[in-house]
């Protein structure tokens, strides 16, 4: 049985909403100041909650057209941020010259789960679901 369009978009909306609320929790409740890379990831994640909600309400295939660039860019920034957190790139090559250093680890659950890691997981799930939805729509137009 194939997964329905609405269920994929709903799952994408849930992931984006949880990520958005999680980032707001860390900054507004826990009072963790976001670094520049965190702000960029927020810029790419926050609109996705609205895009997926609209896509869910009108079942529009354009949800891919509007969400895919944000997902790709957000995934790229989160990947880069994780390379920094895991020490694979130097902090000297980051855009965090002012304010909170991008290598700051406010949390480190299980020795590796940081806020940028959570963002990377969210963007990776969204990328996977977007690709699945894109393939599903491509196959449906062939029929």
């Amino acid at each position: 049985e194939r997964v329905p369009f609405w269920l994929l978009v709903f799952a994408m909306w849930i992931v984006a909403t949880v990520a958005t609320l999680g980032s707001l929790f860390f900054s507004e409740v826990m009072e963790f100041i976001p670094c520049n890379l965190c702000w960029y990831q927020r810029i790419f994640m926050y609109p996705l909650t609205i895009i997926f909600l609209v896509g869910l309400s009108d079942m529009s295939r354009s949800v891919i057209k509007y969400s895919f660039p944000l997902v790709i860019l957000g995934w790229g920034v989160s990947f880069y941020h994780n390379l920094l957190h895991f020490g694979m790139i130097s902090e000297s090559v980051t855009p965090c010259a002012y304010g909170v250093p991008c290598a700051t680890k406010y949390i480190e659950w299980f020795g590796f789960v940081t806020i940028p890691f959570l963002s990377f997981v969210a963007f990776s799930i969204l990328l996977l679901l977007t690709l699945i939805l894109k393939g599903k729509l491509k196959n449906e137009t062939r029929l």
Side-chain angles (χ1 to χ4, degrees):
E1 174 90 350
R2 293 185 175 183
V3 179
F5 174 89
W6 72 268
L7 189 56
L8 285 170
V9 177
F10 181 71
M12 294 160 83
W13 178 75
I14 291 291
V15 171
T17 301
V18 168
T20 297
L21 293 175
S23 76
L24 289 171
F25 172 80
F26 285 131
S27 63
E28 300 304 315
V29 176
M30 300 300 294
E31 298 182 355
F32 298 156
I33 301 168
C35 71
N36 287 348
L37 290 175
C38 291
W39 277 114
Y40 293 131
Q41 290 166 78
R42 287 173 174 216
I43 288 167
F44 297 125
M45 183 62 74
Y46 287 12
L48 291 173
T49 59
I50 297 166
I51 291 169
F52 294 137
L53 188 61
V54 170
L56 189 59
S57 68
D58 69 0
M59 295 298 181
S60 172
R61 295 171 185 265
S62 63
V63 71
I64 296 295
K65 178 172 62 173
Y66 296 114
S67 65
F68 193 66
L70 294 173
V71 171
I72 288 290
L73 292 169
W75 185 89
V77 173
S78 68
F79 181 77
Y80 179 81
H81 201 175
N82 277 280
L83 290 177
L84 174 66
H85 263 235
F86 290 114
M88 300 175 114
I89 59 172
S90 169
E91 190 172 0
S92 65
V93 295
T94 64
C96 297
Y98 303 101
V100 177
C102 288
T104 300
K105 293 182 182 179
Y106 287 115
I107 64 166
E108 194 168 12
W109 301 328
F110 309 110
F112 70 96
V113 178
T114 61
I115 295 171
F117 183 80
L118 293 171
S119 176
F120 179 73
V121 168
F123 276 114
S124 295
I125 292 169
L126 289 174
L127 181 59
L128 178 65
L129 291 174
T130 303
L131 293 173
I132 290 170
L133 186 59
K134 201 171 184 177
K136 177 180 177 47
L137 294 175
K138 189 175 183 180
N139 287 339
E140 284 180 3
T141 56
R142 287 186 193 162
L143 300 177

